[in-house]
């Protein structure tokens, strides 16, 4: 049975047992080339995810002018992608525990690339909404699968950092995209920006096919054809001894898989709190990343400077995600999330209420990125620590999928508030509240110790 730690520390054995003996495990602290490669590939894929999601917010002013799209309708476009991410996290990502992380990531990338081409060629708002929904399905699936894969390959001592650092790829991709779009959008138009994103997604496919390995947890527990040979090859590449036989499949391990595994062995309360944290966190996060360029224009910035504000927000997000990943290896991650999200609420109110010169506005956007994205992304390693390997893909997928309820509500609510001419201080005050709720829920979660 699982036991619980008051400090939130957790040590999860990365591989199953064989004949009552523990299978080889990665060193607690040493990184091998194979482990670094897995995290690096997932980081790059997360950069592509950040590009695919955030590019829409950067092109939103040009799109709304070109097609005469109202704020409410634009909010639906934003939310279509986020609804797709919810569907991917809830319905598709759990399949990684059954069919494998690698296969699901590859299939999702193909889906994303095709739908991005569809976005670039959309002739009306309806076609754009459908294509963005499909893009979202791929992104939601990839995000959960990559987090689970990174948690399994990282040395146990560095798991929190690795899963947190993986999420830093998202704002890096968004930042680079913001600076590129700010300079090329006036020349080539918003459709060309979407086309370029589709091409980059397509180019990533052969590299992922050749370099990204399957989960060793999946190979040893699900035992697909050739599992023993594949697992031993991966173990040797990490400097670990091979196993002689595959472990016997155990009934109690099967009971931990799937959604049932999220609500058994004392995890029900933690799961519900995690879902509440992700719903609230996503609500604030996706309001900010969807609307910050548009809101910066509303606050008086020129369109190009407003895009820079969005890009600088994502620089702050990279800093915040990286710092919480490092700090999480030394301090209670749950309390770090609470501190980050409380600071996020303060900076949101400040951004919406105080008239500032350009430099101060950009600096505040940077701090919003540090605290909002940094605090929320702490939920990924928190979810990875809460669930055992056989339910980890499902656990992360469901946490992020259920959380997309907030991601869908956030941009749509922002659009309605803008259309209703609600003042910026009130709008930012409204979205400061769920940030605090997310931090409180995360702080209340109790984490299991290793058996």
């Amino acid at each position: 049975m699982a036991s619980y730690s008051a400090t939130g520390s957790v040590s999860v054995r990365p591989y199953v047992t064989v004949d009552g003996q523990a299978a080889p495990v990665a060193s607690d602290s040493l990184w091998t080339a194979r482990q670094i490669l897995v995290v690096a590939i997932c980081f790059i894929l997360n950069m592509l995810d950040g590009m695919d999601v955030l590019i829409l917010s950067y092109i939103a002013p040009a799109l709304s002018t070109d097609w005469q799209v109202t704020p409410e309708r634009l909010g639906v476009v934003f939310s279509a992608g986020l609804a797709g991410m919810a569907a991917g996290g809830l319905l598709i990502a759990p399949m990684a525990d059954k069919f494998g992380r690698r296969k699901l990531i590859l299939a999702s990338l193909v889906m994303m690339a095709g739908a991005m081409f569809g976005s670039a060629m959309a002739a009306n708002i309806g076609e754009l909404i459908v294509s963005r929904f499909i893009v979202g399905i791929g992104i939601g699936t990839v995000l959960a699968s990559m987090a689970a894969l990174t948690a399994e390959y990282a040395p146990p001592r560095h798991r929190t950092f690795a899963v947190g650092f993986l999420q830093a790829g998202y704002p890096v991709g968004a930042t680079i995209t913001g600076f590129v779009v700010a300079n090329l959008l006036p020349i080539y138009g918003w459709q060309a920006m979407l086309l370029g994103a589709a091409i980059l997604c397509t180019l990533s496919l052969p590299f992922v096919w050749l370099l990204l390995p399957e989960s060793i947890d999946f190979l040893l527990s699900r035992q697909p054809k050739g599992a023993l040979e594949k697992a031993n090859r991966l173990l040797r590449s990490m400097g670990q001894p091979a196993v002689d036989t595959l472990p016997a499949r155990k009934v109690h391990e099967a009971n931990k898989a799937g959604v049932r595994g999220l609500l058994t062995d004392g995890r029900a309360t933690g799961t519900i709190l995690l879902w509440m944290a992700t719903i609230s966190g996503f609500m604030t996060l996706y309001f900010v990343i969807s609307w910050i360029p548009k809101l910066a224009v509303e606050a008086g910035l020129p369109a190009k400077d407003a895009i820079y504000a969005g890009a600088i927000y994502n620089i702050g997000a990279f800093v915040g995600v990286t710092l919480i990943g490092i700090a999480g290896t030394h301090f209670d991650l749950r309390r770090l999330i609470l501190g980050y999200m409380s600071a996020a609420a303060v900076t949101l109110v400040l951004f919406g209420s105080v008239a500032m010169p350009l430099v101060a506005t950009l600096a505040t956007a940077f701090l919003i990125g540090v605290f909002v994205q940094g605090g929320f992304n702490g939920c990924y390693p928190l979810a990875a620590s809460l669930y055992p390997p056989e339910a980890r893909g499902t656990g992360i997928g469901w946490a992020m999928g259920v959380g997309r309820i907030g991601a869908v509500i956030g941009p749509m609510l922002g659009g309605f508030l803008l259309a209703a001419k609600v003042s910026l201080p009130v709008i930012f005050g409204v979205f400061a509240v769920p940030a605090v709720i997310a931090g409180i829920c995360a702080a209340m979660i109790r984490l299991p110790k290793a058996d």
Side-chain angles (χ1 to χ4, degrees), residues 11-353:
S11 175
V12 182
R13 293 184 181 91
Y15 308 129
V16 297
T17 60
V18 181
D19 296 331
Q21 299 298 319
V25 298
S27 164
D28 277 353
S29 59
L30 297 179
W31 286 87
T32 65
R34 170 70 72 180
Q35 292 166 301
I36 293 171
L37 179 64
V38 170
V39 175
I41 292 172
C42 291
F43 181 90
I44 292 170
L45 290 179
N46 222 359
M47 287 178 61
L48 293 177
D49 287 345
M51 172 190 69
D52 289 345
V53 174
L54 272 297
I55 194 170
L56 195 64
S57 68
Y58 296 136
I59 66 172
L63 170 63
S64 60
T65 300
D66 191 13
W67 281 1
Q68 297 298 300
V69 181
T70 63
E72 306 101 294
R73 196 69 168 154
L74 194 58
V76 174
V77 177
F78 287 141
S79 294
L82 303 173
M85 292 169 78
L90 287 171
L91 304 177
I92 311 299
M95 295 182 184
D97 290 329
K98 183 176 182 180
F99 298 107
R101 321 280 190 226
R102 182 176 182 274
K103 289 180 181 178
L104 213 60
I105 289 172
L106 283 165
S108 299
L109 283 174
V110 171
M111 181 187 303
M112 288 166 55
M116 285 300 294
F117 279 112
S119 299
M121 296 184 288
N124 55 60
I125 198 71
E127 292 180 6
L128 184 60
I129 288 172
V130 171
S131 60
R132 292 301 300 178
F133 178 78
I134 298 172
V135 169
I137 291 175
I139 293 173
T141 304
V142 167
L143 286 173
S145 299
M146 289 190 304
L149 193 64
T150 298
E152 291 161 12
Y153 269 92
R157 182 178 175 185
H158 299 296
R159 182 173 291 123
T160 296
F161 167 75
V163 178
F165 180 75
L166 160 68
Q167 304 310 321
Y170 195 92
V172 169
T175 301
I176 295 172
T177 302
F179 285 114
V180 170
V181 170
N183 288 283
L184 298 184
L185 179 63
I187 302 172
Y188 298 104
W190 61 269
Q191 290 97 336
M193 303 298 99
L194 293 175
L195 181 61
I199 291 171
L200 287 175
C201 283
T202 304
L203 291 176
S204 71
L205 281 167
F207 294 99
V208 176
W209 176 270
L210 292 171
L211 298 176
L212 189 68
E214 185 52 87
S215 158
I216 299 178
D217 282 319
F218 170 79
L219 292 172
L220 294 179
S221 61
R222 286 289 178 170
Q223 302 174 13
K225 184 178 179 180
L228 184 61
E229 294 78 8
K230 293 175 182 177
N232 282 332
R233 185 162 57 248
L234 291 169
L235 287 169
R236 284 191 291 268
S237 72
M238 295 191 298
Q240 301 295 319
V243 295
D244 296 328
T245 60
L246 292 172
R249 297 185 182 184
K250 297 180 181 179
V251 174
H252 78 275
E253 288 177 350
N255 289 336
K256 292 180 182 178
V259 180
R260 181 190 300 176
L262 312 184
L263 302 171
T264 56
D265 288 346
R267 286 187 291 272
T269 299
T271 292
I272 299 302
L273 286 170
L274 180 63
W275 290 355
M276 291 174 62
T278 56
I279 290 171
S280 301
F282 265 133
M283 185 174 173
T284 298
L285 173 64
Y286 275 94
F287 159 73
V288 172
I289 64 179
S290 296
W291 283 109
I292 196 166
K294 182 75 172 174
L295 290 170
V297 171
E298 294 284 334
L301 291 185
K304 187 173 182 178
D305 287 340
I307 293 177
Y308 283 142
I312 287 172
Y313 160 88
N314 283 290
I315 294 175
F318 171 78
V319 172
V321 171
T322 303
L323 288 179
I324 200 170
I326 295 171
T329 62
H330 302 287
F331 303 102
D332 187 338
L333 180 61
R334 300 162 304 168
R335 290 185 173 84
L336 287 172
I337 294 172
L338 175 59
Y340 265 65
M341 298 308 279
S342 299
V346 173
T347 54
L348 283 168
V349 171
L350 181 65
F351 188 88
S353 304

Side-chain angles (χ1 to χ4, degrees), residues 393-446:
T394 301
I396 297 173
W398 268 73
M400 300 308 152
V402 171
R404 303 290 172 186
I405 295 169
V408 172
I409 292 172
M412 291 183 67
L413 178 59
F416 286 126
L417 292 174
L418 280 171
K421 306 298 182 183
V422 176
S423 67
L424 289 183
V426 173
I427 292 175
F428 278 93
V430 166
F431 285 97
V433 173
V436 176
I437 293 173
I440 292 172
C441 290
M444 293 172 64
I445 294 173
R446 299 170 67 204

Side-chain angles (χ1 to χ4, degrees), residues 369-390:
V370 170
F371 296 123
V372 172
Q373 192 113 21
F376 176 78
N377 277 297
C379 291
Y380 283 90
L382 188 61
S385 296
L386 181 60
Y387 302 113
E390 58 270 20

